[in-house]
Amino acid sequence: MLLRPAVVVIRRVVVALVLIVFVGVTAIAQTTPAWADGTSWEAVEASEANQWQSVAYGNGVWVAVAGSGTNRVMRSINDGESWDPVVLPVALEANNWQSVAYGNGVWVAVAGSGTNRVMRSTDDGASWSAVGASAAESHNWRSVAYANGVWVAVAQSGTNRVMRSTDDGASWSAVNVQANSWRSVAYGNGVWVAVANAAAGDGNQVMRSTTDGESWSTVNVAANKWVSVAYGNGVWVAVAQSGGSPRVMRSIDKGENWSAVEATEANNWSSVAYGNGVWVAVSSSGTNRVMRSINDGVNWGAVEAAEANQWLSVAYGNGVWVAVSYNGKVMRTPDAPASDSGDSGGSGGGTDPGIFLNVAGPVGESAPETPIYYGGSNLPGGSQYVLTLSDVCSPSRVIATLAEGTIGVQGSLSSFTRPPPRSPGTYNVRLVVTHSNGLAWQLQSQVTIGASGEYTIISAPVGSHSAAVASPPSSAGCATAVSSPGSASASTPTPTPTPAPVVDPVAPAGQCTTSGFGPYVQQADAKPEVLFPSGEKIQLAPGKTLGSSGGDLVNLDVELLEDNAVFEGHCYEVNVASTGMGGETVITLTSGELTGVTGSGFRPGTRVDIFLLSEPILLGSVVVYAEGDFSAQVSFIAGRIPSGSHTLQIQGVGYDGVVKIVNTGVWVENTPVVVPEGSVTWWWWLLIVALVIMFIIVFVRRWRNREAIY
């Protein structure tokens, strides 16, 4: 009878332990974002009761600007809970600031009136300086945004009602567009879109640009007074202040065609934004002055906001929604996370998608002991995600797929998994989210199995994480890599006395990055690498080797076999065909004969150059295959270089983004041109026969000519 209670006690203890483990797992995963969906709001005491026109988040701080009041800029570094006024220079103090946005390391604001109608900040919005933009004079600027390497601003009135900047907002140029009352501009899905607040008959009230804001074309839409436009989750959404019903429209094809959407109420909607899987719009008048949509902007529901204030701007960032009003009020969604290193900037124009990948630890004897947390927010519905485990030296080669699926219409994802048992070592964990329009977001971390310490923790989005990035990274990298052929040999470059420039197949630096590997480098024209600060030439005796990684001298494991030499560094390997000479295995290059050079562990799409040093001579270049391998056959012309000891240099970009170099001493055999034995008599007989034939022809012609005379 005592056994049954004991079993019950043991069972309860087991259940308690499971719950404790679950609570521990939850505690480990506390860095995952808290989802703020705009359903509940709380009032926040702002620094001053100014007429706040615009609010945005970027680089860890919230910034709001006002159209009137004493200090017309305020900022918050505490998730929008407390705000501090910013004292502007006299030249900027009394301007009618209408819009603020963050991008490319700076804040930029534009004004509807005043002396200098553009200002910028490079220190998190704490201090501002005027920008003398001639294109901005006498214009009523209403909206500014940054994306895809350019700033674009639109004006409600003026001559040229669009201006753009490509240098961090320091200088601006005017763009001539149709003279509508443009009120809002945003970027998404490869295009810029602007909407106008104009009455019926005032022309097309939407315009779009596919050239980074340089040229624009108009689109015919319903003649409402459109005041705000944003892109998110694969669709464009615009809201109207007044002038017709319904006052919401959406586009699913880069802003070319728009359809009307029945909103909850015909309020004077002033701002719309997308973030964390939902659309949120705020109104300056009406009953319920906040509405939200979780279905790509098709269906909207009313939200009871904190107060019936004249809300003019709303934005999402750092885990919270924040709205500001014309009568000096601020409200936010509660329960924000303590911090979020991702940048979700935007000014009424939505937020950037982001993903997180946390590998929490301590490290156990096997990987399944530690879960991997992954997820994201602001992602387009229908995007495909995949979480993979790969070898650290070959990230593109997947060992196991840990999780995969489709992002729902809510635009968010949060889950965890455990990697399968693996042998002790270091592995890559990669999360990639890919949208149907070609955009992609990816994160990569490393896990160490069977060692002490903690796993790497990465929570900030890197790489192609913004809708502004037009060229997403693939599983093999940002550059377009060639496919590995079925045969072992690759293209054989023809050596020339003066090597022609090699076309660089690598993406520009900074276009795409992969966490853990650094930015993709931009290779210059092929040239030999000098390893010594003094510029001393590299001269190695046959059989001697000197390696370099990122400019630092490194040791290479060298294995000399009967027919090839193997040079192995960290995560890369080079093989060179060799021959035996003088009782010792060394690499021998013979004029006119091909020498095979192969390797692995290099950045796909980059270039591997092969030099012979002493002159130097570029023997050939080859592009790395998508798998990280390369294969080439090189040779040199007879008589080009003297026989003897030389240095062979193979250089290329490794997976970590730095140049890997193998220098090894080789023996050059410059074979002279020799006439085969026994061929001299044959050539002489051929010459004699030719002379005899010529003599007979001449004699016969003269004899015939003589007979013709007589």
Tab-separated table of all heavy atoms in Angstrom, residues 550-571:
chain	number	residue	atom	x	y	z
A	550	GLY	N	44.998	37.299	-44.007
A	550	GLY	CA	44.670	38.667	-43.645
A	550	GLY	C	45.878	39.528	-43.373
A	550	GLY	O	45.807	40.478	-42.595
A	551	GLY	N	47.015	39.204	-43.999
A	551	GLY	CA	48.229	39.984	-43.804
A	551	GLY	C	49.124	39.459	-42.705
A	551	GLY	O	50.273	39.895	-42.570
A	552	ASP	N	48.634	38.525	-41.890
A	552	ASP	CA	49.435	37.941	-40.816
A	552	ASP	C	50.068	36.634	-41.296
A	552	ASP	O	49.405	35.807	-41.931
A	552	ASP	CB	48.574	37.667	-39.583
A	552	ASP	CG	47.972	38.940	-39.007
A	552	ASP	OD1	48.650	39.982	-39.083
A	552	ASP	OD2	46.842	38.884	-38.505
A	553	LEU	N	51.353	36.459	-40.972
A	553	LEU	CA	52.024	35.223	-41.341
A	553	LEU	C	51.482	34.069	-40.495
A	553	LEU	O	51.321	34.195	-39.275
A	553	LEU	CB	53.531	35.360	-41.144
A	553	LEU	CG	54.223	36.433	-41.995
A	553	LEU	CD1	55.723	36.452	-41.704
A	553	LEU	CD2	53.976	36.188	-43.477
A	554	VAL	N	51.179	32.961	-41.139
A	554	VAL	CA	50.616	31.809	-40.451
A	554	VAL	C	51.369	30.554	-40.883
A	554	VAL	O	51.986	30.509	-41.947
A	554	VAL	CB	49.107	31.645	-40.763
A	554	VAL	CG1	48.311	32.820	-40.222
A	554	VAL	CG2	48.882	31.493	-42.266
A	555	ASN	N	51.302	29.540	-40.039
A	555	ASN	CA	51.888	28.247	-40.361
A	555	ASN	C	50.899	27.419	-41.175
A	555	ASN	O	49.696	27.425	-40.905
A	555	ASN	CB	52.260	27.499	-39.079
A	555	ASN	CG	53.390	28.177	-38.326
A	555	ASN	OD1	54.316	28.710	-38.937
A	555	ASN	ND2	53.317	28.148	-37.007
A	556	LEU	N	51.419	26.734	-42.156
A	556	LEU	CA	50.602	25.858	-42.982
A	556	LEU	C	51.078	24.426	-42.816
A	556	LEU	O	52.277	24.170	-42.738
A	556	LEU	CB	50.681	26.266	-44.462
A	556	LEU	CG	50.203	27.671	-44.837
A	556	LEU	CD1	50.453	27.920	-46.320
A	556	LEU	CD2	48.729	27.836	-44.527
A	557	ASP	N	50.115	23.521	-42.741
A	557	ASP	CA	50.462	22.108	-42.759
A	557	ASP	C	50.748	21.703	-44.201
A	557	ASP	O	49.906	21.884	-45.085
A	557	ASP	CB	49.313	21.277	-42.190
A	557	ASP	CG	49.107	21.531	-40.698
A	557	ASP	OD1	50.090	21.878	-40.027
A	557	ASP	OD2	47.966	21.397	-40.221
A	558	VAL	N	51.938	21.164	-44.445
A	558	VAL	CA	52.357	20.816	-45.799
A	558	VAL	C	52.572	19.310	-45.878
A	558	VAL	O	53.254	18.724	-45.028
A	558	VAL	CB	53.643	21.556	-46.206
A	558	VAL	CG1	54.021	21.209	-47.644
A	558	VAL	CG2	53.476	23.054	-46.036
A	559	GLU	N	51.984	18.712	-46.890
A	559	GLU	CA	52.175	17.286	-47.130
A	559	GLU	C	52.629	17.098	-48.568
A	559	GLU	O	51.899	17.424	-49.508
A	559	GLU	CB	50.877	16.517	-46.873
A	559	GLU	CG	51.045	15.008	-46.987
A	559	GLU	CD	49.769	14.260	-46.654
A	559	GLU	OE1	48.723	14.931	-46.471
A	559	GLU	OE2	49.806	13.019	-46.584
A	560	LEU	N	53.849	16.603	-48.748
A	560	LEU	CA	54.409	16.379	-50.075
A	560	LEU	C	54.193	14.920	-50.459
A	560	LEU	O	54.766	14.008	-49.846
A	560	LEU	CB	55.897	16.717	-50.095
A	560	LEU	CG	56.247	18.188	-49.797
A	560	LEU	CD1	57.751	18.365	-49.747
A	560	LEU	CD2	55.629	19.099	-50.834
A	561	LEU	N	53.374	14.700	-51.457
A	561	LEU	CA	53.070	13.361	-51.931
A	561	LEU	C	53.829	13.085	-53.223
A	561	LEU	O	54.595	13.919	-53.704
A	561	LEU	CB	51.561	13.220	-52.127
A	561	LEU	CG	50.700	13.528	-50.884
A	561	LEU	CD1	49.230	13.444	-51.216
A	561	LEU	CD2	51.064	12.606	-49.730
A	562	GLU	N	53.581	11.931	-53.792
A	562	GLU	CA	54.319	11.540	-54.985
A	562	GLU	C	53.979	12.412	-56.180
A	562	GLU	O	54.853	12.745	-56.986
A	562	GLU	CB	54.026	10.071	-55.308
A	562	GLU	CG	54.805	9.541	-56.505
A	562	GLU	CD	54.545	8.077	-56.761
A	562	GLU	OE1	53.848	7.456	-55.931
A	562	GLU	OE2	55.028	7.554	-57.766
A	563	ASP	N	52.708	12.812	-56.301
A	563	ASP	CA	52.304	13.568	-57.485
A	563	ASP	C	51.643	14.900	-57.168
A	563	ASP	O	51.164	15.583	-58.065
A	563	ASP	CB	51.360	12.730	-58.354
A	563	ASP	CG	50.131	12.273	-57.579
A	563	ASP	OD1	50.069	12.523	-56.353
A	563	ASP	OD2	49.238	11.661	-58.190
A	564	ASN	N	51.557	15.289	-55.908
A	564	ASN	CA	51.000	16.597	-55.581
A	564	ASN	C	51.439	17.018	-54.184
A	564	ASN	O	51.832	16.185	-53.357
A	564	ASN	CB	49.476	16.603	-55.674
A	564	ASN	CG	48.836	15.797	-54.559
A	564	ASN	OD1	49.120	14.612	-54.399
A	564	ASN	ND2	47.984	16.442	-53.779
A	565	ALA	N	51.392	18.335	-53.964
A	565	ALA	CA	51.703	18.915	-52.658
A	565	ALA	C	50.435	19.524	-52.084
A	565	ALA	O	49.711	20.239	-52.787
A	565	ALA	CB	52.803	19.970	-52.794
A	566	VAL	N	50.148	19.262	-50.804
A	566	VAL	CA	48.927	19.726	-50.150
A	566	VAL	C	49.305	20.753	-49.094
A	566	VAL	O	50.123	20.472	-48.207
A	566	VAL	CB	48.163	18.552	-49.511
A	566	VAL	CG1	46.881	19.061	-48.873
A	566	VAL	CG2	47.866	17.482	-50.546
A	567	PHE	N	48.716	21.964	-49.193
A	567	PHE	CA	48.945	23.039	-48.232
A	567	PHE	C	47.622	23.299	-47.511
A	567	PHE	O	46.630	23.668	-48.142
A	567	PHE	CB	49.430	24.309	-48.934
A	567	PHE	CG	50.630	24.081	-49.807
A	567	PHE	CD1	50.481	23.768	-51.151
A	567	PHE	CD2	51.909	24.169	-49.287
A	567	PHE	CE1	51.580	23.560	-51.964
A	567	PHE	CE2	53.023	23.957	-50.091
A	567	PHE	CZ	52.860	23.647	-51.427
A	568	GLU	N	47.607	23.139	-46.210
A	568	GLU	CA	46.356	23.251	-45.453
A	568	GLU	C	46.478	24.329	-44.387
A	568	GLU	O	47.359	24.298	-43.541
A	568	GLU	CB	46.011	21.913	-44.804
A	568	GLU	CG	44.659	21.918	-44.108
A	568	GLU	CD	44.287	20.549	-43.565
A	568	GLU	OE1	45.057	19.582	-43.820
A	568	GLU	OE2	43.248	20.436	-42.888
A	569	GLY	N	45.553	25.334	-44.464
A	569	GLY	CA	45.429	26.354	-43.442
A	569	GLY	C	44.116	26.174	-42.715
A	569	GLY	O	43.405	25.184	-42.901
A	570	HIS	N	43.753	27.163	-41.901
A	570	HIS	CA	42.494	27.070	-41.162
A	570	HIS	C	41.321	27.259	-42.117
A	570	HIS	O	41.099	28.327	-42.655
A	570	HIS	CB	42.446	28.125	-40.054
A	570	HIS	CG	41.161	28.110	-39.272
A	570	HIS	ND1	40.783	27.042	-38.489
A	570	HIS	CD2	40.170	29.025	-39.172
A	570	HIS	CE1	39.614	27.299	-37.940
A	570	HIS	NE2	39.228	28.503	-38.337
A	571	CYS	N	40.610	26.185	-42.366
A	571	CYS	CA	39.394	26.189	-43.184
A	571	CYS	C	39.669	26.382	-44.672
A	571	CYS	O	38.756	26.728	-45.426
A	571	CYS	CB	38.395	27.248	-42.709
A	571	CYS	SG	37.573	26.796	-41.176
